[in-house]
Amino acid sequence: MTISREAGMESKVTLSKKVETYLRNKILNGELQPNDKIAELDVAGKMGVSRGPVREALKTLTFEGLVEYQTNKGCSVTTLSPKDAYEVFFMRGSLEKIALERCGGRCSDEAVLKMEIALGQMKRACEDDSLTAIIAADEMFHRQIVDMGRMSRLTKMWQMLSPLNGAMFLTVKNSRKLGADVFDAPSANKYAVSHKNNYEAHKVILEVLKKGDLKDSCLCLDAHYIIMGEKIYRVNLEEEVRKLSSCSYSAPLP
């Protein structure tokens, strides 16, 4: 029996997706930590596949900001840089605010219903402590906001940032460990408060959106995105300064 070229290609894609899901889950769930090496041969052996699908999976994860490739060193787990994280948060939030401005801050009944469904999924995901499921629910929730703008190019621009969503969540998680005090500090933005989990944070966003006040809705998104990005940037820069100051150099005596 012969296997067609198309079937062979489909099989390879399916295998690479399985490896991709396997590695992504291990990274997001903390089984693989930043700077941990990922050896193609080891992964191929564990998954029972050739190195080709592993290589394709690593390319995708590199694009998503979860893996970094270095010449002569191979692949390792990584996180977004403070600058990249801030820019992604700023751009994503700005696009959603444009969408709200386009609809005057008024959410359709359909959009509210879909956000409520996403919120329910996020609540269960938080209870199960499943970051993968939280990310999926987050994507569904915020997609309803950007779709309110009724501009296909606006939505496409927002979707271009979606592959980095996992890396964004991971960066927030790691940054909170570095500087909980920064995240809990008061802010002039009344919505920039520390929440118990992602479900609680998005519950507040939905409550504000339902009221239909454009100014308040944009203020709420600023707290969720831009101020959060600023906190991540600050925490990581302070950590870099701390590391530099701890590496004291003593000049040798003459």
Side-chain angles (χ1 to χ4, degrees):
M1 181 177 69
T2 59
I3 300 176
S4 67
R5 182 180 178 185
E6 289 78 9
M9 291 177 66
E10 183 179 353
S11 176
K12 183 178 179 180
V13 170
T14 302
L15 288 174
S16 66
K17 283 292 181 184
K18 287 182 178 178
V19 177
E20 180 186 313
T21 301
Y22 168 77
L23 289 174
R24 185 187 293 110
N25 286 341
K26 289 183 79 69
I27 293 171
L28 294 178
N29 293 331
E31 294 179 61
L32 287 173
Q33 293 289 316
N35 300 317
D36 283 356
K37 297 292 182 183
I38 301 178
E40 288 183 12
L41 196 58
D42 290 346
V43 176
K46 289 178 182 177
M47 297 292 292
V49 299
S50 65
R51 295 178 68 172
V54 178
R55 195 172 294 117
E56 289 301 315
L58 289 173
K59 286 181 181 178
T60 300
L61 296 175
T62 299
F63 177 71
E64 292 179 6
L66 296 172
V67 169
E68 179 184 35
Y69 173 79
Q70 290 181 310
T71 306
N72 300 323
K73 290 185 178 181
C75 290
S76 59
V77 179
T78 189
T79 56
L80 293 177
S81 70
K83 183 175 183 294
D84 285 340
Y86 173 76
E87 289 183 2
V88 172
F89 271 85
F90 181 88
M91 292 171 66
R92 189 169 162 124
S94 296
L95 292 172
E96 289 180 26
K97 286 197 297 180
I98 291 173
L100 285 177
E101 289 167 0
R102 290 276 301 169
C103 68
R106 294 181 294 276
C107 304
S108 67
D109 292 340
E110 181 183 4
V112 170
L113 176 60
K114 288 181 178 179
M115 281 190 281
E116 287 176 342
I117 292 172
L119 196 60
Q121 293 176 350
M122 188 174 291
K123 183 178 181 181
R124 290 189 292 274
C126 287
E127 290 170 351
D128 295 337
D129 196 26
S130 172
L131 187 55
T132 304
I134 291 172
I135 292 169
D138 175 88
E139 190 76 5
M140 179 180 175
F141 184 98
H142 287 277
R143 173 63 188 265
Q144 309 317 311
I145 298 175
V146 77
D147 279 349
M148 291 178 202
R150 297 186 179 279
M151 295 181 71
S152 60
R153 291 190 181 276
L154 178 66
T155 299
K156 286 178 181 177
M157 289 176 69
W158 182 89
Q159 286 178 306
M160 288 174 66
L161 298 171
S162 292
L164 295 170
N165 210 10
M168 286 166 59
F169 269 83
L170 201 57
T171 300
V172 172
K173 183 178 179 180
N174 292 333
S175 297
R176 281 189 180 277
K177 292 178 182 177
L178 290 175
D181 56 327
V182 172
F183 283 90
D184 294 338
S187 169
N189 186 317
K190 62 182 178 180
Y191 296 112
V193 297
S194 181
H195 297 284
K196 180 181 177 182
N197 54 38
N198 284 285
Y199 164 71
E200 296 294 340
H202 285 80
K203 183 180 178 182
V204 171
I205 295 174
L206 183 54
E207 288 172 353
V208 174
L209 289 174
K210 282 181 177 180
K211 294 176 182 177
D213 186 292
L214 177 59
K215 183 178 179 181
D216 257 14
S217 294
C218 289
L219 196 64
C220 191
L221 286 182
D222 278 344
H224 186 69
Y225 281 120
I226 298 176
I227 292 177
M228 177 66 73
E230 290 173 352
K231 288 180 177 180
I232 291 170
Y233 196 84
R234 178 180 173 182
V235 165
N236 285 276
L237 286 182
E238 287 181 353
E239 178 65 10
E240 287 182 17
V241 172
R242 187 191 67 77
K243 286 180 178 179
L244 287 172
S245 62
S246 65
C247 297
S248 58
Y249 173 77
S250 299
L253 295 173

